[in-house]
Amino acid sequence: MCCYQPLVENKLNDNNVDFLIKKGKLFWEQRTDDKALKKADHFISLAKNIRPLDFELSILLSKIKYNIAKNIEVDQELKDSLYLEGARFSRDAVLNHIMIKSLLDESNLDSSSKILKTIAKAPKEVVPGLFWWAENLSHYLIEQPVMKRLNHRELLEVLMNRVLALDPG
């Protein structure tokens, strides 16, 4: 009897995550309502904690953080924090994507050069992640000192060039 318990727990866990995702997406569809957007953040964050490597969840959470920062939050420090958090979710989703990992493994450059070269060859499947990484990061950088913005210029250029190359519409 005990041998089957992990399977039952996994199934229950999957059902719980599916419920959280369903609720989060329902509230995301109502994102013009500030309370619904915050509820979407809550449910999708919970699901993301259970499935930390889920690409789609990460991108959705990145979009949610962006929308909260852009449309609800008034404190600039909190806005910056939300934009940065959204950028990190997208960055991690892209860099942990199986197609990107294989490209990263092929390269023998140093880490920042490797990442830039890999992004420049990124497949179409990661375009949403690239877009939301750039979108959140650019909004975060708007309020940062010039040197910090300049340090991220090449990354943003490569991100947006790849997005436009793969999905010009």
Side-chain angles (χ1 to χ4, degrees):
M1 188 79 164
C2 71
C3 298
Y4 297 105
Q5 192 166 352
L7 181 61
V8 171
E9 285 180 16
N10 287 341
K11 186 170 174 69
L12 287 175
N13 199 22
D14 282 346
N15 288 341
N16 289 339
V17 174
D18 292 341
F19 171 79
L20 293 171
I21 293 168
K22 185 177 176 183
K23 289 299 262 186
K25 285 181 176 179
L26 181 68
F27 286 118
W28 170 245
E29 290 171 5
Q30 302 166 24
R31 62 187 165 272
T32 55
D33 176 13
D34 293 354
K35 289 180 182 174
L37 188 54
K38 288 183 178 183
K39 287 178 183 177
D41 180 39
H42 173 73
F43 284 107
I44 298 301
S45 292
L46 290 173
K48 172 103 172 71
N49 287 337
I50 298 168
R51 288 188 191 159
L53 298 178
D54 187 311
F55 184 80
E56 301 299 325
L57 273 181
S58 297
I59 303 312
L60 179 55
L61 193 53
S62 183
K63 290 193 241 182
I64 291 169
K65 298 295 182 184
Y66 174 86
N67 276 275
I68 291 172
K70 187 101 172 137
N71 301 317
I72 297 175
E73 194 52 62
V74 291
D75 181 297
Q76 190 58 49
E77 282 186 36
L78 289 175
K79 280 182 172 220
D80 287 347
S81 174
L82 287 163
Y83 287 132
L84 188 57
E85 196 176 3
R88 286 182 180 150
F89 284 131
S90 292
R91 178 199 64 204
D92 293 346
V94 167
L95 296 179
N96 286 312
H97 193 281
I98 190 144
M99 296 175 115
I100 295 295
K101 278 188 160 199
S102 66
L103 290 172
L104 281 170
D105 291 342
E106 292 172 7
S107 179
N108 58 359
L109 302 168
D110 68 77
S111 63
S112 59
S113 298
K114 184 189 287 194
I115 289 172
L116 291 174
K117 294 283 184 196
T118 301
I119 291 168
K121 296 187 285 186
K124 191 169 184 151
E125 290 81 3
V126 298
V127 165
L130 298 174
F131 175 81
W132 286 105
W133 182 2
E135 187 70 12
N136 275 296
L137 183 59
S138 64
H139 277 79
Y140 165 74
L141 290 171
I142 287 172
E143 297 294 325
Q144 300 306 307
V146 172
M147 288 309 295
K148 193 170 198 172
R149 289 183 288 195
L150 287 173
N151 289 338
H152 288 84
R153 181 191 59 81
E154 187 174 8
L155 172 62
L156 285 170
E157 236 175 68
V158 172
L159 286 168
M160 290 316 296
N161 281 335
R162 193 60 183 159
V163 169
L164 290 172
L166 293 173
D167 191 6

